[in-house]
Amino acid sequence: GCASTGSVGPVRELGGGKAAAPARLTQRCAGPSDIPPGALSAGATERLWAADRSALDDCGRRHAALADYYARRDARLAGSK
């Protein structure tokens, strides 16, 4: 049979969704704005650009928060703070 050598710490069971990241952090990032056919005014171009920049900023913040969530979770599981 398999015997423990004692070199591996106790196994902690993760129940109740404790291992899962919050859903808001795992949502897909928004894609770029759809550019309508034809010529665009400077104002329309600026609005599309601003919407894309805002979506990119939101995506970056969520990605960073997700990476931080997993790093903190893994540190807790390893027994450090």
Side-chain angles (χ1 to χ4, degrees), residues 47-72:
R47 282 188 293 280
L48 292 170
W49 174 83
D52 285 348
R53 292 297 304 166
S54 178
L56 182 60
D57 183 54
D58 177 63
C59 182
R61 288 177 194 270
R62 283 190 289 120
H63 179 79
L66 182 61
D68 183 59
Y69 169 84
Y70 283 124
R72 288 184 292 128

Side-chain angles (χ1 to χ4, degrees), residues 5 9 11 19 22-26 30 32 34 36-37 47 54-56 70 78:
T5 63
V11 175
R24 67 182 173 78
L25 298 182
T26 60
D34 290 328
R47 282 188 293 280
S54 178
L56 182 60
Y70 283 124

Side-chain angles (χ1 to χ4, degrees), residues 10-21 69-70 72-79:
V11 175
R12 297 182 190 182
E13 186 174 330
L14 299 174
K18 290 182 181 180
Y69 169 84
Y70 283 124
R72 288 184 292 128
R73 183 205 62 183
D74 292 350
R76 286 192 307 269
L77 289 174

Side-chain angles (χ1 to χ4, degrees), residues 33 35 41 50 63 76:
S33 298
I35 299 175
S41 68
H63 179 79
R76 286 192 307 269

